[in-house]
Amino acid sequence: MSHLDPGPIGALKLAPSLLSADFGYLAGAAQLVDEHVEWLHVDVMDGHFVPNITIGPPVVASLRRHTERFLDCHLMISEPRRYLEAFATAGADSCTVHAEVGDVAAALADARALGMRAGLAVNPDTPFSALEPHLADLDLVLVMSVFPGFGGQSFMPEVLEKVTGVRRVIEEEGLSVDLEIDGGIDVETAPRAVAAGANVLVAGSAIFSRPDPVAATHALRIAASGE
Ligand code: DX5
Ligand code: ZN
């Protein structure tokens, strides 16, 4: 399976979270927005690392047949290394693992060895120090702005300081790393996240719970661009 180009590192990217779509209509939801966005965000939950169960590799494989958009898979699972190969085979372009599960360096190396981009996520209460040793060996940092598990939660502004700290290190060290924020992103919070240094915006309910998801992607981009 060859993997898609993520687009320019550091450029503004929208990544609608399919978690807030109708799972009985997943391909349609993906196709509805995919021309209007850079990535599609796939929330994988195992009922162990987080108290919810969602999507696994077979669903990613099905989605892959219906969209050519970059599939940004967010693995909220306790044992990501067991499943990275299955996600790569299914057509995931990127896999992001959580720092809280441990064995991070090996998971990032595995993801890259499988031809995917490698991301590292941190929960709102996980400090920057959990990311720092890995920054040279990854493609994406994901700062959670809610505790993972469910869509539709309120944005936690206290994580913005961490976003700014990560962006500073990316700039100072000239790293080719995208900086993504996930949780409670909407037209109000997107500009704050971008001002803090995020360049990939995940949004679930602000897109798929709106009456017109395509219009919602445009509104989010305008808000994020400060236009
Ligand atoms: C939360 C997920 C998020 C979530 C975002 O556990 O990782 O991607 O779907 O949903 P909203 O945008 O509704 O907060
Ligand atoms: Zn997510």
Side-chain angles (χ1 to χ4, degrees), residues 23 26 42 54-65 71 87 90:
F23 277 12
L26 215 41
V42 180
T54 55
I55 285 170
V59 178
V60 172
S62 294
L63 267 174
R64 183 74 292 165
R65 291 194 284 275
L71 293 178
F87 280 103

Side-chain angles (χ1 to χ4, degrees), residues 1-224:
M1 171 69 67
S2 62
H3 299 281
L4 299 174
D5 182 340
I9 309 292
L12 179 68
K13 301 180 184 81
L14 299 187
S17 165
L18 292 167
L19 181 63
S20 296
D22 177 349
F23 277 12
Y25 182 64
L26 215 41
Q31 289 170 347
L32 178 65
V33 297
D34 69 1
E35 289 175 22
H36 304 279
V37 298
E38 286 76 10
W39 295 359
L40 292 171
H41 185 81
V42 180
D43 284 307
V44 177
M45 304 187 190
D46 65 354
H48 186 260
F49 178 66
V50 288
N52 198 3
I53 300 176
T54 55
I55 285 170
V59 178
V60 172
S62 294
L63 267 174
R64 183 74 292 165
R65 291 194 284 275
H66 297 280
T67 179
E68 292 179 1
R69 201 45 80 220
F70 184 89
L71 293 178
D72 164 38
C73 296
H74 176 192
L75 307 190
M76 289 161 274
I77 65 178
S78 295
E79 294 190 70
R81 292 189 72 200
R82 281 181 65 181
Y83 300 98
L84 286 169
E85 188 169 0
F87 280 103
T89 304
D93 298 300
S94 173
C95 276
T96 295
V97 301
H98 265 264
E100 298 80 12
V101 306
D103 213 7
V104 162
L108 294 171
D110 286 356
R112 282 182 160 182
L114 289 160
M116 297 183 289
R117 295 184 89 226
L120 185 58
V122 280
N123 282 348
D125 59 354
T126 299
F128 176 58
S129 57
L131 290 168
E132 205 165 14
H134 306 289
L135 284 175
D137 303 308
L138 49 69
D139 304 294
L140 172 75
V141 167
L142 169 50
V143 174
M144 291 303 303
S145 39
V146 298
F147 282 95
F150 301 92
Q153 302 181 74
S154 295
F155 181 74
M156 297 172 66
E158 55 269 40
V159 307
L160 291 175
E161 207 175 310
K162 188 161 49 185
V163 172
T164 300
V166 178
R167 173 57 65 195
R168 189 180 310 124
V169 175
I170 291 172
E171 299 299 329
E172 281 172 4
E173 300 187 10
L175 302 172
S176 291
V177 170
D178 278 312
L179 177 46
E180 182 173 50
I181 190 158
D182 183 4
I185 295 295
D186 59 19
V187 291
E188 304 295 329
T189 55
R192 297 167 68 191
V194 169
N199 74 286
V200 185
L201 302 176
V202 176
S205 48
I207 292 178
F208 289 110
S209 302
R210 306 294 303 172
D212 183 344
V214 172
T217 67
H218 297 322
L220 201 55
R221 191 181 300 280
I222 289 167

